[in-house]
Amino acid sequence: MMAWRQRWDRILPHLVIWPPLLVSCAYVLVFSVWTTWVSFTRSTLLPDYSWAGVRNYTAMLASRNWQIAFTNLFIYGACFVVLAMAVGLLLAVLIDQRIRGENLFRTIFLYPIAVSFVVTGTVWGWLFNPSIGVQKLVHDLGWTSFRFDWVIDRNMAIYTIVVAAVWHGSGFAMALFLAGLRSVDADLVKAAQIDGAGAWRIYTRVVLPTIGPIFVAVLVMLLQFAIKTYDLVVALTAGGPGLASTLPALVVYDFMFQRGELGRGAAAAVMLLGSLTVVLIPYAGFRAWQNRRGAARV
Amino acid sequence: MPQISRRAILAGSAAMLAIPTTPHAQGAGGAKPKVTVISQWSAGSDGAAITTLGKEFERQGGIWEHNPVPGFTTEMMNKLRAQIIAGDPPAASQLKGPEIAAWSKVGAVVNLDEQVKEAGYEAVVPAELARLSKPNGHWIALPIQAYRINTLFVSKKAADRIGMTSLPTTWSEFNAAAEKMKAAGITPVANGGIKWDDGMKWEIALCGISPDAYRKAVMELDAKTLQGPEVLAAFRQFRKLGEWSDPGSAGQHYSTFIPRYMKGDMGMLLMGGWAQGVFKNAGFQLSDYMVGPAPQDDGKVAFDLNADEFIFWQKKQPEFQQGQKLLAKIVMGKAFGPMYSQITGSLPVRTDTDLSDPGFSDGQREAARAMSEAVKANRVVLSLAHNMAQTNQIAAAMIDVLTEYVHDNRIKAEEGQKRLVEAVDSIR
Amino acid sequence: MSERLLARAAIYGALTLFAAFYLVPLAVVMLNSVRSTEDINHSSVIGLPSVYVWGNFAHTWSSYCIAEHCTGIQPYFWNSLRMVIPATVISTLLGALNGYSLALWRFRGDTLVFGIITLGVFLPEQMKLVPWAIVLRDLGLFNTISGLVLIHVIQGISFTTLFCRNYYVSIPADLLKAARIDGAGFFRIFWRIVLPLSPPILIVTVIWQFTGIWNEFLYGVTFSTGENQPVTAALIALSAQISQAPQYGQQSAAVLMAAAPTLLVYLFGGRYFVRGLTSGAVK
């Protein structure tokens, strides 16, 4: 009886742990492999499993849409991730100073994430529009030489998307950081205070290093935002002026569904994910190395 | 995974092989005729019109189930795609232009030949629409409404300010009027600047310069015409239209500008006939603007056509087959056009429709007259920007070139034309 | 002392500035929600109401006609709740469990498993549309709310696992060691030690899942029909189409009402951020 009980106790955790882990892995692997496979086929309106070689890839690489979108992704991705992280961390630290009205401020910073991308894009589109938005408002106040027309400037349109995306995502970064800051052992901070460390020192030396994994969570979260950005652009600039602010997710959707070129769209998606691994593989190596060190220590 | 694929292929080929059943076995089951319909018409006058169709369907003894997919055509097609994959297509769905031919290859469609013949329908619809509705020689889709793309709306207040009393009839008159407006501090062109709007401005320019060149270049993709002087002239006119637009038009829907347009701060709008319904819903009167055909250099009538259709998907259940017959009968009937078009502001597709009913506007009557004249003169062309002339794949590639061109003054007209030729070559 | 005062003033000043920036779009939408269509069409989408129109809310909530049903967004709103609550709860629980086992019960290959799961957050929605259609067909869940719940749970696990795992790794190893020496098993440790430490990350996870699923549009429209559609479908139906005059006032009212549940989650969840809760529970 006892033995059965013990064995059951040992097995049960595995029964609980494995199904969700396996399902999540299978989902990622099966869907990625399927898409990769389709990218090598002649699929048009529906999946069609006849082999097409690398034709879809060469066609996508040669298309202007893809070239512009891919360049934009780097500009937009870098600006958005850096800015949203900086703003998010700053807000989290400010809120963490035992301030009055924490609830109010936190809710104000967080609410944008509740607003869908379509609405975000539409409203920022109004504000950026020189004929009805901020520029007009300032003109009406009397400063008529004021110019704020990024949204119609081919070189600046992509930055309007950055602003709207930072507005949307930085609050969530703040929430994650705040959760992290509050997981820090209060004793550690107290000990540092007793040692006479200033606020800046406590943050840079004690607090931030312990929430390193939260940085990773925020980074991954923002990166996936950047890569998947779709509705925001559609509502804000519609990819324009011309094609100037298009992004890869728009190209994927455009080819897969609007043009009925499932194979080419899949090729674009695979290249998008492929470019991501360029960022992720060095990081994974770093983590593995760190883990080994960590394991040795424990 | 191979299992999934094999099953998909099997399902696909089974659907292809399915024999077009001729549903004469009515009454056997005694079930009421039924249709499931998907469209993107979920709200506003489009939603109201299709609801009216549903009510009529029910009045004639059917069961009507409409599943609108809100948003844009692409979302509607995603839904159709998903339902075809699931093996449960709707009895009928909204689809237009050459996509009818493309989609008829991925799912089994209903052959409507017999019913069309019985109704004598082919003789009363524009040949261009008949051609789109029977891609392989058999009727598989039915047109439900048409719009004229090459339509010009002039703000009454702006016209008054420059003393314009009638619409410009040629591009040079148009350009002269635009210069006058500009001098008077009016933004001459009130269009927006998103892809389809850009594509439309170019196509209206080309159609106004030469419908024959339009037919050859856009509909037949004739290489020589694409490189010819008419297309170049269209690019030049297109550039002017762009420069006369609001500097903030990039990425904007044309409706953003309606308030300024009606105030007389903006002058002329090149837009399909549906703009009338939009003005009406926005609270403006017919006296607020002038409407008529867009400039036509040769002075003869030309009609740039946009039309919506229903395609019919094969269903095994007899009640659906009966329902499809009933729906086809209603849509082809003489009463359908007035019923539907009076709500949406479109044109009935039957050229023998009487538009004297007070439910129609003068704008609709003028456009309908233009359509039947253009049909007789063989001067109907199909819209590029609204996916009537080419499959989405080709149209999208062409519109990409046009939208980049109009928003970038550094691209010369010759260069724009060259890029258009290259874009067509790369997918032809 | 005055230096401290200055620092406090700087903190509040910065927070207020940021708050103003975050509030501008909300103000625009709120103002529009009480303006009439004519008012907006005759001036601009940015401006003060000439007359306050409160009817926009009642009209969009219960009588606006979407797809032949003049029921407003109300029924779609309940559909969204029926979808979002189970999907959020299940995916958060599974994510906490996954995070716990990956962070604190290390096993061979755990990093690889975590890496694969994390990759899941990067898969673009567009890419997964057709495969999900095939999966739903094979499971017979096409056009059902359960089908949507399934999609959101499976896609959500990637996010929830990521958040929870990265939070749990900062739990001091000593705590667990002590518990294990006391003879506590897998579930006991989760229940007695890890869960009480979790409120901040669970609230983040819930916010993420709730808002993400609530605002999702593509799957909601593609994989459900008619009266089963989520509220986002209704919102899009209200928004501008090529041949429609935009109804900004009603749209704005609808947007505000649709965002209400998420805002409530923040307001009620907010107190779980409070510092001290964790240390109190552990010791």
Side-chain angles (χ1 to χ4, degrees):
Chain A
M1 186 63 191
M2 238 4 235
W4 184 86
R5 199 44 230 268
Q6 268 176 356
R7 196 181 300 163
W8 176 244
D9 276 355
R10 217 173 306 136
I11 292 172
L12 187 63
H14 290 280
L15 288 182
V16 177
I17 294 172
W18 284 105
L21 284 178
L22 287 179
V23 167
S24 337
C25 287
Y27 147 72
V28 175
L29 295 176
V30 170
F31 279 31
S32 312
V33 170
W34 187 86
T35 306
T36 313
W37 182 17
V38 166
S39 74
F40 288 104
T41 65
R42 286 171 216 273
S43 303
T44 53
L45 288 171
L46 287 186
D48 161 355
Y49 302 100
S50 55
W51 188 253
V54 296
R55 191 181 319 163
N56 292 327
Y57 287 88
T58 50
M60 283 316 296
L61 284 171
S63 93
R64 277 183 65 75
N65 296 57
W66 176 255
Q67 292 161 2
I68 296 171
F70 206 65
T71 321
N72 277 343
L73 179 64
F74 279 95
I75 302 173
Y76 162 74
C79 292
F80 164 65
V81 169
V82 170
L83 272 175
M85 267 193 133
V87 172
L89 184 61
L90 177 67
L91 291 177
V93 170
L94 286 177
I95 280 191
D96 199 35
Q97 303 308 308
R98 299 174 189 279
I99 55 155
R100 267 171 217 275
E102 176 189 324
N103 243 324
L104 177 70
F105 280 118
R106 205 184 40 230
T107 313
I108 291 175
F109 299 145
L110 250 184
Y111 92 87
I113 201 95
V115 181
S116 69
F117 282 117
V118 177
V119 174
T120 306
T122 311
V123 177
W124 280 102
W126 296 340
L127 291 169
F128 279 120
N129 187 325
S131 330
I132 56 173
V134 176
Q135 180 175 316
K136 179 167 186 288
L137 209 69
V138 177
H139 283 195
D140 290 351
L141 292 175
W143 182 8
T144 48
S145 61
F146 175 80
R147 280 176 70 82
F148 184 57
D149 54 1
W150 288 6
V151 79
I152 55 162
D153 182 333
R154 320 175 38 75
N155 300 315
M156 297 303 285
I158 189 77
Y159 297 101
T160 63
I161 299 167
V162 173
V163 172
V166 168
W167 176 83
H168 187 267
S170 53
F172 190 74
M174 175 212 69
L176 263 172
F177 280 129
L178 196 57
L181 290 179
R182 291 183 173 182
S183 77
V184 174
D185 198 343
D187 295 342
L188 271 179
V189 180
K190 248 180 232 155
Q193 273 167 342
I194 291 167
D195 288 350
W200 174 258
R201 227 182 128 76
I202 290 178
Y203 270 103
T204 52
R205 293 293 167 84
V206 182
V207 176
L208 297 187
T210 49
I211 62 166
I214 291 290
F215 271 96
V216 176
V218 174
L219 182 71
V220 170
M221 201 269 309
L222 295 174
L223 260 184
Q224 66 86 24
F225 256 148
I227 283 187
K228 293 202 256 185
T229 303
Y230 172 78
D231 334 31
L232 181 64
V233 186
V234 171
L236 181 49
T237 64
L243 303 174
S245 62
T246 192
L247 284 174
L250 269 84
V251 177
V252 171
Y253 190 77
D254 186 26
F255 276 82
M256 273 193 162
F257 304 119
Q258 203 210 322
R259 302 186 192 198
E261 297 255 33
L262 221 46
R264 291 201 179 163
V270 170
M271 289 193 285
L272 180 60
L273 290 176
S275 63
L276 184 72
T277 52
V278 176
V279 182
L280 289 185
I281 283 172
Y283 169 72
F286 168 71
R287 282 309 299 256
W289 173 76
Q290 219 181 18
N291 270 341
R292 228 171 295 133
R293 269 187 39 164
R297 206 176 56 219
V298 175
Chain B
M1 200 110 86
Q3 261 173 343
I4 293 176
S5 77
R6 210 172 302 133
R7 217 175 307 165
I9 291 168
L10 280 177
S13 44
M16 296 295 215
L17 289 173
I19 308 145
T21 38
T22 34
H24 279 302
Q26 205 227 354
K32 278 172 119 184
K34 181 180 176 184
V35 283
T36 46
V37 177
I38 62 177
S39 79
Q40 65 187 96
W41 300 311
S42 54
S45 56
D46 286 329
I50 198 159
T51 306
T52 312
L53 171 60
K55 294 237 172 75
E56 177 63 19
F57 189 82
E58 278 166 355
R59 197 184 62 78
Q60 301 202 17
I63 301 172
W64 172 260
E65 205 179 283
H66 176 221
N67 286 311
V69 185
F72 301 96
T73 320
T74 316
E75 272 85 51
M76 197 271 303
M77 294 205 292
N78 280 341
K79 175 129 204 142
L80 179 60
R81 179 179 290 109
Q83 296 205 345
I84 290 176
I85 288 175
D88 184 25
S93 69
Q94 172 205 353
L95 210 62
K96 68 196 291 192
E99 291 296 302
I100 293 170
W103 282 86
S104 71
K105 289 179 197 135
V106 300
V109 286
V110 180
N111 184 338
L112 301 163
D113 282 352
E114 210 173 303
Q115 258 191 297
V116 170
K117 208 170 146 201
E118 247 169 61
Y121 189 61
E122 190 157 353
V124 294
V125 292
E128 295 291 350
L129 284 183
R131 189 172 60 77
L132 291 172
S133 313
K134 40 182 230 180
N136 299 314
H138 298 290
W139 282 80
I140 56 167
L142 294 173
I144 50 180
Q145 61 176 343
Y147 283 107
R148 178 173 64 184
I149 296 292
N150 53 335
T151 308
L152 175 65
F153 299 82
V154 179
S155 158
K156 195 76 184 49
K157 289 202 177 109
D160 289 348
R161 273 170 67 188
I162 61 156
M164 182 202 278
T165 50
S166 63
L167 293 172
T169 55
T170 64
W171 283 118
S172 54
E173 280 180 40
F174 178 96
N175 295 345
E179 288 295 350
K180 256 193 196 165
M181 285 183 177
K182 203 175 169 200
I186 301 167
T187 305
V189 173
N191 280 63
I194 41 183
K195 279 185 179 182
W196 62 262
D197 197 319
D198 291 335
M200 213 175 71
K201 287 188 289 263
W202 179 84
E203 85 179 50
I204 293 175
L206 179 58
C207 175
I209 289 163
S210 162
D212 291 329
Y214 185 102
R215 188 189 305 271
K216 282 220 176 72
V218 176
M219 294 164 64
E220 295 163 15
L221 299 180
D222 176 60
K224 218 174 126 202
T225 319
L226 272 169
Q227 294 165 15
E230 293 93 350
V231 170
L232 184 65
F235 269 97
R236 293 221 166 96
Q237 182 63 38
F238 186 33
R239 167 70 72 225
K240 287 183 183 148
L241 294 176
E243 283 173 347
W244 282 325
S245 299
D246 185 85
S249 71
Q252 293 300 322
H253 192 257
Y254 76 95
S255 63
T256 322
F257 298 123
I258 294 179
R260 288 170 60 201
Y261 170 76
M262 288 301 181
K263 252 190 260 168
D265 292 344
M266 296 180 121
M268 302 186 272
L269 177 68
L270 292 158
M271 188 54 57
W274 57 81
Q276 261 184 308
V278 176
F279 292 157
K280 196 165 136 198
N281 286 341
F284 294 102
Q285 310 300 319
L286 276 169
S287 56
D288 287 328
Y289 58 92
M290 302 190 282
V291 54
Q296 196 65 44
D297 283 348
D298 59 11
K300 284 184 270 178
V301 69
F303 196 93
D304 183 5
L305 177 69
N306 179 24
D308 292 305
E309 305 209 17
F310 278 144
I311 182 168
F312 291 69
W313 300 98
Q314 260 181 36
K315 304 288 280 182
K316 283 192 217 75
Q317 304 88 326
E319 67 267 28
F320 279 118
Q321 295 170 353
Q322 288 308 317
Q324 287 171 330
K325 281 203 136 188
L326 179 56
L327 180 61
K329 194 187 114 206
I330 294 174
V331 169
M332 286 189 289
K334 245 186 151 164
F336 171 77
M339 175 186 89
Y340 205 91
S341 296
Q342 283 181 15
I343 302 173
T344 60
S346 61
L347 311 175
V349 286
R350 283 185 75 124
T351 48
D352 60 348
T353 310
D354 177 16
L355 275 78
S356 59
D357 188 279
F360 286 105
S361 73
D362 282 341
Q364 275 169 301
R365 287 185 197 112
E366 183 274 319
R369 222 166 27 240
M371 180 162 87
S372 51
E373 279 171 34
V375 167
K376 276 180 216 136
N378 194 23
R379 281 168 63 94
V380 175
V381 295
L382 298 175
S383 168
L384 173 71
H386 294 277
N387 298 326
M388 292 291 288
Q390 294 294 342
T391 56
N392 291 348
Q393 177 197 355
I394 299 173
M398 291 172 80
I399 292 168
D400 277 349
V401 173
L402 299 173
T403 192
E404 270 215 283
Y405 168 81
V406 78
H407 292 290
D408 190 349
N409 288 347
R410 293 166 307 184
I411 307 175
K412 294 264 177 323
E414 291 79 6
E415 170 68 16
Q417 185 178 26
K418 205 178 113 221
R419 286 195 193 175
L420 187 69
V421 172
E422 283 166 5
V424 170
D425 280 343
S426 71
I427 28 175
R428 194 180 346 227
Chain C
M1 195 61 210
S2 75
E3 197 180 307
R4 204 185 120 72
L5 216 66
L6 211 67
R8 297 307 279 179
I11 290 172
Y12 282 104
L15 284 172
T16 312
L17 273 181
F18 272 106
F21 169 72
Y22 280 84
L23 285 174
V24 167
L26 180 68
V28 170
V29 173
M30 280 179 119
L31 287 175
N32 279 344
S33 72
V34 292
R35 295 171 74 192
S36 69
T37 304
E38 282 75 25
D39 182 4
I40 297 172
N41 277 330
H42 284 88
S43 55
S44 158
V45 283
I46 298 167
L48 296 171
S50 56
V51 187
Y52 287 85
V53 185
W54 298 104
N56 284 340
F57 285 92
H59 182 58
T60 34
W61 176 251
S62 57
S63 62
Y64 189 84
C65 298
I66 298 160
E68 301 160 32
H69 300 285
C70 296
T71 51
I73 63 167
Q74 186 190 1
Y76 305 94
F77 188 88
W78 303 131
N79 285 341
S80 275
L81 278 184
R82 291 216 317 268
M83 167 184 78
V84 77
I85 289 173
T88 304
V89 170
I90 297 172
S91 61
T92 304
L93 282 179
L94 292 179
L97 210 60
N98 273 354
Y100 169 56
S101 50
L102 286 171
L104 303 173
W105 289 72
R106 316 296 290 269
F107 50 88
R108 190 185 289 273
D110 57 353
T111 328
L112 181 68
V113 169
F114 179 59
I116 293 174
I117 293 180
T118 308
L119 198 62
V121 309
F122 292 102
L123 305 182
E125 259 63 44
Q126 297 85 10
M127 173 191 130
K128 293 175 291 189
L129 194 65
V130 176
W132 273 126
I134 297 172
V135 170
L136 290 188
R137 176 196 65 194
D138 289 353
L139 294 176
L141 290 175
F142 212 80
N143 284 344
T144 61
I145 289 185
S146 320
L148 289 175
V149 171
L150 177 83
I151 293 180
H152 290 306
V153 165
I154 291 183
Q155 297 193 149
I157 292 180
S158 287
F159 286 97
T160 55
T161 304
L162 169 73
F163 295 151
C164 292
R165 187 259 180 205
N166 282 1
Y167 181 83
Y168 291 154
V169 287
S170 61
I171 292 179
D174 299 346
L175 267 180
L176 302 181
K177 238 185 239 166
R180 250 180 267 181
I181 290 167
D182 288 349
F186 180 86
F187 293 108
R188 225 178 129 80
I189 293 180
F190 183 63
W191 195 251
R192 301 294 292 274
I193 297 181
V194 175
L195 221 47
L197 283 171
S198 302
I201 198 64
L202 289 188
I203 198 69
V204 167
T205 311
V206 165
I207 285 174
W208 174 265
Q209 284 298 92
F210 197 97
T211 51
I213 299 169
W214 186 268
N215 287 329
E216 200 285 324
F217 162 68
L218 187 61
Y219 295 141
V221 164
T222 313
F223 297 134
S224 70
T225 49
E227 286 144 59
N228 281 329
Q229 292 200 328
V231 74
T232 37
L235 282 185
I236 296 284
L238 281 169
S239 73
Q241 294 185 357
I242 289 181
S243 57
Q244 297 295 309
Q247 308 279 320
Y248 294 121
Q250 289 164 13
Q251 258 171 271
S252 303
V255 162
L256 286 178
M257 287 188 289
T262 351
L263 293 174
L264 286 179
V265 169
Y266 298 176
L267 284 175
F268 285 107
R271 61 180 147 143
Y272 294 107
F273 273 107
V274 176
R275 184 200 289 286
L277 191 123
T278 55
S279 41
V282 175
K283 285 172 190 150

